[in-house]
Amino acid sequence: METFLLIVVCSVAVFAIAYFVRFAKQNHIARRAWVFGICALVLIPFGLAWAVTSFAEGEPFAGYMGVAIFSGAGLIFTLLAYNRIVEKTTPVDTSSGNIGLQVLVGLLVVLGALLLPVSLTSTRIASLIGNQENAIALVNQQILSDEALPVFFKETLAYETLYGAYPKTLEERLMQSMISGVSNEQIIVLLDKTLPEKERLVLLEDGATAVSKWFNNDQPYPEWSLEVSPLLTRMNRQAVFLMGWMYQNFELMPMPDTTIAKFNKGEFSDNLKEYLGTPPDSLKQQAIIHGARALQKQIAAAKAPDKIALADQLKEKTPPAAMKAQKSTLATVLVLLKMSWLFPLLLFVVAFGLANWKLPQRLKTNGWLLLTMGAVGLIVTWGTIGDVAGTVYNFVEGLAGEMPSFVLAFLNQFLPAFLQSLKTFLIPFNISLLSLGLLLIAFAYQDVIRSFFNSLKTPLSHGWYRKKDSTQEA
């Protein structure tokens, strides 16, 4: 894509320079107009080429600066050259406001092309969030499914290790390390015994339904709760499996000799910490059975509530009035995001309306506007999401420390597919606009293009005939 854009920029620049030279010779324009025109025709494509290469190298800021400095200076030289040429070739005042209108129309198109990818991204995200079925499908696919949850869990641990609070105790650090080393298949085995995929989906649907009802009622908090007792009961029943799974998948330190001696004597403790080590093979089965009993007693002694209500958790942090205000703000933001695509569309409608109403040579004008839309759209799209993996990495890195680890992990899993689908739509769309613009410009300048090629053809044909005559004379 980078090569294609550079070829397009260079080709347009070559044809523009050729046309300008021919026009300047025919109209005998002043030397100052020559200088201004050549500077414009060099700086504008140079700034565009700079932007293309900068975006391809992952430096969007340098690309924007190149367009602003070089192509911006080229536009200034274009206006200066235009004024000198008009003074020379047009003795009568011909709508002095046209140049200002052309600049306005061009700025509207460029601004709309810059905002279009952002607005489409915002609209699609708002549509996903606002549609309950789509949101459930997305979260289930990217987080809660058997295929995604182990990866999501490990990514969360990795981000917590990199950017989260440093674990205070050695046990916490060892636990993070051990869990991150478990294979995805074994994590699924554990989940199937403790919280299967179907039950996770039911919890997700219940939560999404509660949030949807909350958006459409006057209650300050969503009414959703998690039943803790069934989970603890299941863990209590699966205690033997959990101990066996731990010995199979965790790389524990060897069990101390004193503990092994006690176990050999048949003195098994109810302290779970004594079982958090790798026992000899001769004692492993007994350690699993008695360790499961210690785990069951620890679960029974745990002071866990029977039910965790989301409303109660939110009340501790946010008063009802503030929560209602946040809900209203969120609803307004979602509506604005869904409608954000209308803003660049309005800019395009105004630009093309003014151009076709006020400016002459509509075919040529529309061609240049479409060419500008396609070129700017390609530069922005390719510069921001051309490298999807790099864009996701930079985005997540920029949010590190500002967002919880699980949010970073979700973005890392969700954004690649989302940006790839956006890229798949925007790049062909902008190429189509650019191609259509070039086609309209070619039709508008067909006489100029024909005469240009004829001017190249005539010297070549004369040279061929001279060569033929000299061959016959010899």
Side-chain angles (χ1 to χ4, degrees):
M1 180 57 67
E2 176 189 0
T3 304
F4 171 75
L5 291 176
L6 289 175
I7 291 173
V8 170
V9 170
C10 293
S11 301
V12 172
V14 168
F15 279 107
I17 292 173
Y19 172 75
F20 177 75
V21 170
R22 183 173 178 276
F23 175 83
K25 287 183 177 180
Q26 288 180 350
N27 292 276
H28 306 286
I29 66 174
R31 184 179 301 174
R32 188 176 299 176
W34 268 95
V35 173
F36 291 153
I38 293 299
C39 288
L41 294 172
V42 170
L43 288 173
I44 292 176
F46 180 76
L48 295 175
W50 179 294
V52 170
T53 55
S54 298
F55 284 132
E57 293 172 358
E59 297 290 344
F61 181 75
Y64 291 127
M65 291 299 294
V67 171
I69 295 174
F70 297 110
S71 299
L75 289 176
I76 294 174
F77 280 115
T78 300
L79 296 177
L80 295 174
Y82 177 84
N83 289 333
R84 299 297 298 177
I85 293 171
V86 167
E87 291 176 2
K88 176 69 178 178
T89 59
T90 310
V92 182
D93 182 23
T94 58
S95 176
S96 60
N98 273 354
I99 183 64
L101 183 59
Q102 290 172 7
V103 172
L104 175 61
V105 169
L107 289 176
L108 290 175
V109 167
V110 170
L111 182 59
L114 290 173
L115 293 177
L116 184 61
V118 179
S119 64
L120 288 178
T121 302
S122 303
T123 300
R124 296 189 67 176
I125 291 177
S127 298
L128 283 173
I129 296 175
N131 187 298
Q132 182 177 337
E133 294 182 359
N134 291 341
I136 290 174
L138 174 67
V139 175
N140 185 53
Q141 179 183 2
Q142 297 295 336
I143 296 182
L144 296 183
S145 66
D146 282 345
E147 293 78 13
L149 188 54
V151 178
F152 173 77
F153 187 64
K154 289 186 177 181
E155 287 179 346
T156 301
L157 286 177
Y159 285 123
E160 183 65 29
T161 302
L162 289 173
Y163 310 115
Y166 190 73
K168 296 180 180 180
T169 64
L170 177 62
E171 289 80 2
E172 291 175 335
R173 295 195 291 271
L174 289 175
M175 186 61 67
Q176 282 189 359
S177 177
M178 289 187 294
I179 292 177
S180 63
V182 179
S183 67
N184 293 347
E185 292 77 12
Q186 285 298 318
I187 292 178
I188 294 174
V189 170
L190 176 64
L191 291 171
D192 287 342
K193 291 289 187 179
T194 55
L195 191 61
E197 183 177 17
K198 291 182 178 180
E199 294 188 18
R200 300 196 298 267
L201 181 58
V202 170
L203 290 175
L204 173 63
E205 291 175 345
D206 291 343
T209 302
V211 172
S212 178
K213 290 181 178 179
W214 173 63
F215 263 111
N216 297 304
N217 61 31
D218 296 330
Q219 299 298 320
Y221 305 103
E223 296 296 331
W224 181 80
S225 60
L226 174 64
E227 298 290 339
V228 179
S229 298
L231 299 177
L232 294 178
T233 301
R234 180 176 296 164
M235 289 181 64
N236 190 62
R237 292 175 180 174
Q238 298 291 341
V240 174
F241 162 79
L242 292 174
M243 291 299 299
W245 186 90
M246 181 187 71
Y247 284 141
Q248 178 183 353
N249 293 283
F250 284 178
E251 295 184 4
L252 301 170
M253 297 291 290
M255 188 172 284
D257 292 338
T258 54
T259 305
I260 294 175
K262 287 174 56 179
F263 287 179
N264 281 325
K265 294 178 182 179
E267 299 175 0
F268 293 96
S269 170
D270 290 337
N271 185 2
L272 185 61
K273 289 186 177 180
E274 292 193 8
Y275 297 90
L276 299 181
T278 303
D281 292 339
S282 59
L283 290 174
K284 182 169 290 186
Q285 191 60 36
Q286 288 181 302
I288 290 174
I289 294 174
H290 292 281
R293 185 185 63 188
L295 177 60
Q296 289 172 336
K297 290 186 176 182
Q298 183 163 320
I299 292 174
K303 296 180 180 179
D306 294 335
K307 181 173 66 174
I308 298 177
L310 180 61
D312 294 337
Q313 301 295 318
L314 293 174
K315 285 178 184 177
E316 297 178 0
K317 298 180 180 180
T318 309
M323 197 66 191
K324 283 187 176 182
Q326 292 181 9
K327 179 170 69 169
S328 177
T329 302
L330 181 59
T332 303
V333 169
L334 285 176
V335 171
L336 292 176
L337 289 178
K338 285 182 181 180
M339 306 300 291
S340 61
W341 62 274
L342 290 173
F343 186 62
L345 178 63
L346 178 63
L347 293 177
F348 292 142
V349 169
V350 172
F352 279 89
L354 289 174
N356 287 276
W357 180 34
K358 291 289 187 179
L359 296 179
Q361 299 178 322
R362 294 175 180 173
L363 188 64
K364 179 176 69 174
T365 300
N366 288 322
W368 281 110
L369 291 180
L370 290 171
L371 176 65
T372 303
M373 285 177 61
V376 174
L378 276 177
I379 291 172
V380 173
T381 303
W382 192 257
T384 53
I385 58 175
D387 178 15
V388 172
T391 300
V392 173
Y393 176 80
N394 293 331
F395 184 73
V396 173
E397 284 286 307
L399 293 177
E402 304 294 332
M403 294 288 182
S405 300
F406 70 89
V407 175
L408 299 179
F410 174 75
L411 292 175
N412 192 57
Q413 290 193 206
F414 162 70
L415 284 178
F418 179 81
L419 293 179
Q420 187 61 48
S421 65
L422 198 65
K423 176 182 173 183
T424 303
F425 166 74
L426 284 175
I427 289 183
F429 174 74
N430 287 309
I431 290 177
S432 301
L433 291 179
L434 189 146
S435 302
L436 181 59
L438 288 174
L439 184 62
L440 293 180
I441 291 172
F443 275 113
Y445 287 97
Q446 56 181 320
D447 294 335
V448 176
I449 296 173
R450 189 181 297 112
S451 62
F452 172 72
F453 281 107
N454 288 335
S455 64
L456 294 178
K457 181 179 178 181
T458 302
L460 292 175
S461 60
H462 287 169
W464 183 80
Y465 280 119
R466 283 198 298 270
K467 182 178 180 181
K468 183 177 180 181
D469 293 340
S470 61
T471 303
Q472 290 176 351
E473 291 176 359

